[in-house]
Amino acid sequence: MVGRRAALARTVAEGLAAPDAMGAVLVGEAGIGKTALARGISRHLQDTLRVLPVRGAAGLRTVPYGALSRYLVGLTPADSESPSAVLRQFLRGITPDLRAQAPPLVLVDDAHALDNESALLIMQLATARKVKVLATACPLPGPVEEFARAGKDGLLAHHVVEPLTLPDVRELCSHVLGGPLLTGTARLLATTTRGNPLLLTMLLEQLRAEGRLVASNGVWRLRGPRPALGAPLTDLLLHGLRERSDAELAALETVAVEGRVPLASLEAVVERGVLARLAQDRLIEVDPLNGQSVSLRHPLHAEALRGSVTAARALDRAGNGRIGIDGSGTGPGTVGDALPHPPRDPDRLAAWTASALRTSSPVADAVLLRSARVANRLHDPGLAQEALRAVRDPAPTPSYLLETAWVQGTGGNRQLARVLLDEALRTAEDPALARDGAALSLRLDRHLGDGGRALHADVDRWVELLDAEADRRGGGPQEREAAGAAVRLLSTAVEILGGTLRAAHGLETAPVPPDLPQEVRLVHHTLLAHALTRSGRPMAASRVLDESRPILEEDPEHLLTYRDAVSGELLLSLIGGGAWDRARESFHRCYPPEDDGAFLLSGWLDLIDGSRSLHAGRFGEARGHLLLAVEAFRDLDGLHLLEWVSGAAAYACARAGDVPGAQALIDAHGPLTGRSDAVARRMGDAHVAAALGHLGEEGAVARLRSIAARAEDRGSLLVAATALDHAAGLGDRTALRPLAEVTRAFDGDPGSSLHRFAAAAADGDRDALVVESEASRRQGYLPLAVRCLEEASLVGPSGAVARGIDRQLGALRTELRAVPGGNAVAPAHEALLTRGEQVIVKLVAAGHTNREIAEIRGVSTRTVEGHLYRIFAKLGISRREVLQQPDPLPSHIPG
């Protein structure tokens, strides 16, 4: 059992073990795992209670005592009509159990199908304290009357078995598959099955058999579009509906085929009593926030019903005297008659087209191409491909080629996508199409690694079409200015993606004219936010992006290509600013559960949680989240962050003591080059260098200082600060002053805290370091709080203040090691010193200064300082004087 199920099993078992307990009933929908839970509870009690299994069955519900027949062997037909005779026979059958100190446990499965006579007998024995009862039942029709009455009277404890939560689903899938599951795949499975364990395990089995659920780098993931139901699952789901009336099935089929239907339209053609029964039985649900629309409660029921409805019947339901695709309830006609103008909202257009295609209804080629574009941008290549297949024009237009290229690129066939895209742009005359082509070109360029040549050519094509469009329309001043602004933004974008963030300075100082097209303003805001986040000002970036959201909402379909970029930059800015909860809320607002983006882009959730865990010092937990984020970003990396995320994961592995995992990511870092923009690549380099430093590489600090210098020169202050911070963490105290300078303008809690620490440490301000340590501890940044006190302990002479700081430092280190999911590395004082570190300890003990030790060892003074920093951490000390004591080394270190 997983998660809350295990806790519930313990609770129920403890309740049943109480001397005065009579029993309990577990209530939950079919397949929710009631039987497995009851068996788990009985296993908890098997040492103290004998279990007597009883099972209700629909076929025996009218047979008196049918469920107890196994205990009534030898009962004559005449006695079977006498309740007292049946009771005596049953007692004789379980006499050995009645002699035990504790009464036996009658385990009643499917108590909703139990015959009344069996239920009455069991409750008589329970009331007489001869047995205890543990029963399972579906909420509808509910436990048999005797059990229901006992529950109302408080004689039987009532427990609702809830669906599995997302963590439960992940745990169960990991147990079944033997490895972790990608977060997006887990979310898709949890949403599709609504946390029903039976449906979940059947779907897992189907997907593995189809080769759709595969392991990559030890992580399981779903390949391809949303899974279609196999025959076993379909049969199971339809079997559960076999007792519904024809009118109820007709209503269910209509809603399944059409998706969401306005309640008023449904009530016009379906009797209210039918709808009331379906709602009461929790087969349909009404969404008050979506125009009082009705949908099937369970996604798999909708899938199974759609698969069972023939095209002719579906078309009949959609158009001929039923409810139109728009829910208008119009009379006879086709889908096109019911809704001559497809909806403008992108999400509704996708649903409209899906319904039309399911009913084999004719849709104009222009609408199909528009729908394919929307589906591609909403990460639904399956629907895009269906729409493209339905296009009747035999000549492939540039739009058709572009959307086909997008489908191929999403499916991993990027070489073919490149060929199709080139052909689309060669014949394109629409600047908007060229703009979308440039967006796809950027995605393909990162994977194909052609040095950006194709991207530059595609951007040039867009500029060419913009100029041609302006000439064709007469080229007024305003239109010329808009085209010029777009070209300037493109040039800036190319420089920013190349790592020169100084190119973005003009974006912040120059206001955006309100008369520019929405698209130009949106790109301006996105590029500015991109630069601000990577310059250490993520909260300023988030405020800029708050201005972009209304622009997206003004024309969501036209600007749909930018949705992921705007959302991704917002999420990254909130992560950088330490606004973890806001980041999660923003993700769920941008990508609702029914949106495929919610599953495909769920790597952002792992990045959010992994970043939070890193700052809190929960390195083992951070490792788990960031490894999942790496695998998610391999498939879908709209902001080209893979090298950044992979480097952070390598660092988390190193800090968590996972040396093989860190080394594997470090080894894979080189081949990833080209998959990220320049800043993300340098961020990855900085994290990898830090990981190598924690694994003992001597040149890690020098490498970090080199990365910082190059990054600062190009305005990549976040990279410079990250590299300098890592260098300081590896013992290079000379990095503190430049770190304080680089972070001077940083905003957000992590950046501001880092600046205050670096400035206080560089100035030798012990009081400020102690204050910042406490502030960082309150914010949950335990590693930074420890570092503040470590620096404070190096300032000023020893004495009462120093001893107080040492005590606080020891307590903080203990707290850091004790955090849930914390550092998996052995406590610092248990680590072995290297031979070189042992020599340095002996030289310090002999009274030599750092400069003298550097001359003796033939290294720089900075290298000696770095060694001493690591020695202090390994020995759990903070002052040089400790090394000059008679026996400073732990006994397990060789002399």
Side-chain angles (χ1 to χ4, degrees), residues 237-255:
L237 291 162
L238 294 180
H239 180 76
L241 301 175
R242 72 188 189 284
E243 296 183 359
R244 311 309 306 192
S245 69
D246 290 344
E248 290 169 345
L249 280 175
L252 291 173
E253 287 178 355
T254 298
V255 177

Side-chain angles (χ1 to χ4, degrees), residues 619-636:
F619 299 116
E621 188 178 282
R623 168 192 170 277
H625 286 300
L626 291 175
L627 287 176
L628 290 175
V630 169
E631 295 308 313
F633 277 76
R634 286 189 203 280
D635 285 344
L636 201 64

